[in-house]
Each structure stands twice: as structure tokens, then as C-alpha cells.
Amino acid sequence: MQHTFDIPTSINNMKPETIGLEEGPICPLPFTHNEVIVMGHGSGGKMSHDLIKKYFYSYFENELLLAGNDAAVINIGNATLAFSTDSHVVKPLFFPGGDIGRLAVCGTVNDVSMMGAVPLYLSAGFILEEGFEIITLSKILESMRTVAEEAGIQIVTGDTKVVQKNQADGIYINTTGVGLLYPGSNITGSRAQPGDAVILSGSIGEHGLAVLEARGELGFSSGIQSDVAPLNRLVRALIDAVPKDAVHVLRDPTRGGLATSLNEIAQQSRMGIIIDENKVTIQPAVRSVCELLGFDPMYVANEGKLICIVEEEFAHKALMAMHNTRYGENAAIIGYVTNQPQGRVLMTTTMGSTRILDMLSGEMLPRIC
Ligand code: MG
């Protein structure tokens, strides 16, 4: 089936180099003494990507890292594993729908799952501030235990460190996870192909706004709950429903939101992606709060949603399988992969026009995960 889209000529003719598709090896850059880390480097958007590419990639350059996926896929003996790590600094620690503990487990379970792997074991490292109440720590640990049980994974190793009062914000948690790849699956950000369907597993923007509300920054109660959830069973259901090779890309649109994750995939695959705004589900409360605060929900973080890029022929089967799971009931096809414009995401709006959907450029909501 062919999909035709009316792409404005000015967008279609853009050269890859104007949109950050670099060629050739990454060279270590000279150290610049006057550059400092700013909050925008933690946005998950363009500033985070630039920081990682410019410094981390140049120091740690290797093929596995440069694949730029949610987890590295590594071979050990006869096993192929997905391996990922994530640190959590969310403020406040408890928010509607979740807390730092649930987030720390789900963040890593989901990143491992996005490679088409079954997450099995997690490590958890805790940095605790002097004076932090044990009762609060216990609540967080209980939350981690509950969601680990739901996901069917075990936390099997860990670490605790304590820093002096005022040297941290109560608690920071790092988790690392390993999982076994489903035999035959080949899921990576660079595999999006023309004609592939783009499926989104549910509504967007809830997590970022729930954290914002917990900070008291809204000044009213919106009733929005974070979507933070483990997605491994959803991934299992959709992979089992289609030929193993048919799922090309999976990604959870966390920091930087849906727009940023789609841009990552477009750039990694050197493809265009076009989505239809009408197909993207946004809860009315999320839409209202975004309008009130001037946020674009396309850039607000999610912690329980995934993007699935799948061969068009199998998109309906994948969708049906997702609909039968707890966290995929509202999954929908929101768009398609196209040949052009390379590395760009376009959106046909509710008004009928087409606009470029860029990666998040600055910082919108700091410390949301
Ligand atoms: Mg991710």
C-alpha cells in the first residue's frame, strides 16, 4: 500500500547536513574551559543529544554505544542481551500516579524492553542525603518491590551511598537492567523503512504535567496522573503477534516527549516520518493545562508509552495485540515512515496544514524523571 503525502517543497528539499545528519568518525574535541553544564543539558532534547554526541561519544566511542538506542545489545557466549542504565532525580519524590521508586524500575525495564528483550534483572544504586527519613525510604522501596513484581523482574544487586545534608535532594536512584533478546528480533532506531506504520501506545503528556502539579506549580488540581508503567508485557504481546522481523523500531518517548523520540528515529534511520495530529490521543485535562501554560504536549514527557514502527502489513495485528494489554488499550496508528524529508518529522495539524515537528530545543520541565 502506498501512502502519498503533500510535503511542502521547501521541507522536501532540505539537505541532510542542515538537520544534523553527520557523516564520518567522531573525533574527540578539545576541552573547552568556559563551557558549563546547564539544566537544559538534562532536557532529553537537542541539548542532551549534543552533550552526549560531542563529549560522551567522543571519549567512549564504540559501535555498541554509537548505535544510540535505549539499550545496548551485547553478545555474551550464546546469549544476546539488552543492557541499559538510567538515573532518577525527580522532584518531588512522590507525584500523582507514581514516585521515584516506581519510575526507577519502570525506566530501566522499559529501555531494555525497547530493544525487543525480556528484562530479567535490575541493579539499584541509591544516593541518600543525611537526614532522609527512613519511613520515606521504606515507601520508595515498597513501591519498587510492587512494580518489580508486576513486571516480573528481580532487583538482584545494589549500592548505597550517603552524602552530607544539603549535598543532595533526599534520594537519587540509578538502576541498570539486563534482558534476553527475543530470538530473531532485530529492533533498532535505524530500521525505520518507507511505508512502515508508526503506532503510539496511548495518550501523551501525563507524566510531565503530573510532576509539575506535585510541585504545586499549577496552583490548582488537574487530576492528571503520571502514566509511569512497566511496558515489558505490552512489548511481549505485540512481538508475539507479528513475525519477529516485522517490528523495526521501539522507543519510549520519555524526556523531550513524542516529538523528540520521533526525531531521534528519523535521524537514525535517515527517513522522514509524517504523523497526523488528529490521531495522537491527548487527555482533555492535559490539553487544557498545556494551553494554559503554553506547553506543547508533543514535547511533554511520558513514562508508560511506546512508539512502535512496524511493517505496514502487520500494523493492524500489532495494534490488536496492544489493545488487549493493560497499557496499550488506546494504541493507534499515528503516521507513516517516508523517504523524504530525510531526518525530519512532519505533522499534519488539526487545521489541515503541515508543520515541521522538531526535537525539543531547550529545557521545558527540569527534573521530571
Ligand atoms: Mg528510553
Side-chain angles (χ1 to χ4, degrees):
M1 187 176 163
Q2 281 296 311
H3 300 278
T4 54
F5 302 103
D6 185 19
I7 300 169
T9 320
S10 58
I11 298 173
N12 216 356
N13 290 340
M14 278 180 172
K15 295 278 180 291
E17 56 268 29
T18 65
I19 50 179
L21 298 179
E22 295 128 13
E23 292 283 2
I26 293 169
C27 303
L29 291 164
F31 195 80
T32 319
H33 285 280
N34 56 3
E35 275 189 281
V36 295
I37 294 294
V38 297
M39 291 305 288
H41 286 126
S43 67
K46 190 167 183 314
M47 288 183 74
S48 303
H49 283 83
D50 288 349
L51 180 76
I52 291 167
K53 283 181 185 166
K54 194 170 169 186
Y55 295 105
F56 292 87
Y57 278 10
S58 62
Y59 283 99
F60 304 141
E61 182 180 356
N62 63 69
E63 201 182 319
L64 299 176
L65 179 68
L66 298 188
N69 288 314
D70 281 333
V73 173
I74 53 179
N75 291 304
I76 300 177
N78 292 327
T80 306
L81 304 174
F83 180 45
S84 189
T85 192
D86 209 334
S87 299
H88 296 85
V89 298
V90 66
K91 187 180 181 180
L93 301 174
F94 296 85
F95 46 84
D99 57 81
I100 192 170
R102 183 173 172 87
L103 199 57
V105 171
C106 293
T108 293
V109 162
N110 293 348
D111 278 343
V112 169
S113 303
M114 293 308 124
M115 303 315 297
V118 183
L120 297 169
Y121 300 109
L122 255 60
S123 74
F126 297 83
I127 296 171
L128 303 163
E129 182 189 1
E130 181 186 21
F132 190 63
E133 291 179 342
I134 291 291
I135 190 164
T136 311
L137 175 64
S138 302
K139 279 185 197 164
I140 292 166
L141 297 179
E142 176 60 31
S143 177
M144 292 177 79
R145 177 171 69 178
T146 303
V147 74
E149 278 174 12
E150 183 192 344
I153 58 97
Q154 288 182 297
I155 297 164
V156 292
T157 184
D159 177 53
T160 53
K161 294 288 188 302
V162 178
V163 297
Q164 285 167 317
K165 196 158 187 62
N166 301 324
Q167 303 288 308
D169 240 341
I171 181 171
Y172 302 138
I173 306 176
N174 170 275
T175 51
T176 297
V178 290
L180 264 178
L181 229 68
Y182 293 105
S185 72
N186 176 16
I187 295 171
T188 172
S190 58
R191 268 197 85 209
Q193 290 161 28
D196 284 355
V198 180
I199 300 176
L200 177 64
S201 67
S203 55
I204 57 166
E206 291 121 52
H207 176 72
L209 297 187
V211 172
L212 195 67
E213 178 168 333
R215 287 180 194 163
E217 290 180 22
L218 294 187
F220 59 88
S221 175
S222 67
I224 298 167
Q225 301 262 318
S226 167
D227 59 344
V228 56
L231 298 175
N232 51 326
R233 296 186 197 279
L234 171 61
V235 169
R236 181 69 189 255
L238 89 89
I239 285 183
D240 282 348
V242 300
K244 294 289 168 286
D245 208 33
V247 180
H248 294 167
V249 186
L250 291 173
R251 187 145 304 174
D252 53 345
T254 53
R255 288 178 307 171
L258 177 63
T260 299
S261 291
L262 289 174
N263 271 278
E264 289 170 3
I265 297 165
Q267 293 195 10
Q268 281 178 270
S269 299
R270 295 168 178 266
M271 290 289 152
I273 293 176
I274 185 157
I275 65 164
D276 181 347
E277 188 173 15
N278 290 302
K279 303 280 170 58
V280 178
T281 309
I282 301 169
Q283 292 178 4
V286 169
R287 197 179 290 283
S288 303
V289 171
C290 280
E291 277 172 15
L292 201 68
L293 301 177
F295 291 149
D296 185 339
M298 297 290 166
Y299 295 91
V300 180
N302 313 280
E303 290 290 347
K305 299 292 154 34
L306 64 79
I307 298 163
C308 170
I309 295 191
V310 60
E311 279 177 36
E312 212 260 339
E313 187 186 345
F314 302 106
H316 191 70
K317 272 191 174 170
L319 198 59
M320 292 301 107
M322 291 167 84
H323 284 169
N324 287 328
T325 64
R326 181 174 175 188
Y327 300 118
E329 287 175 346
N330 297 315
I333 297 173
I334 61 162
Y336 291 91
V337 178
T338 55
N339 271 315
Q340 296 289 337
Q342 242 186 45
R344 279 278 177 188
V345 181
L346 305 180
M347 181 168 76
T348 52
T349 67
T350 49
M351 309 294 284
S353 59
T354 302
R355 74 165 169 112
I356 294 174
L357 206 57
D358 263 326
M359 197 173 264
L360 178 67
S361 57
E363 167 211 351
M364 195 161 69
L365 301 169
R367 294 187 59 185
I368 49 163
C369 61

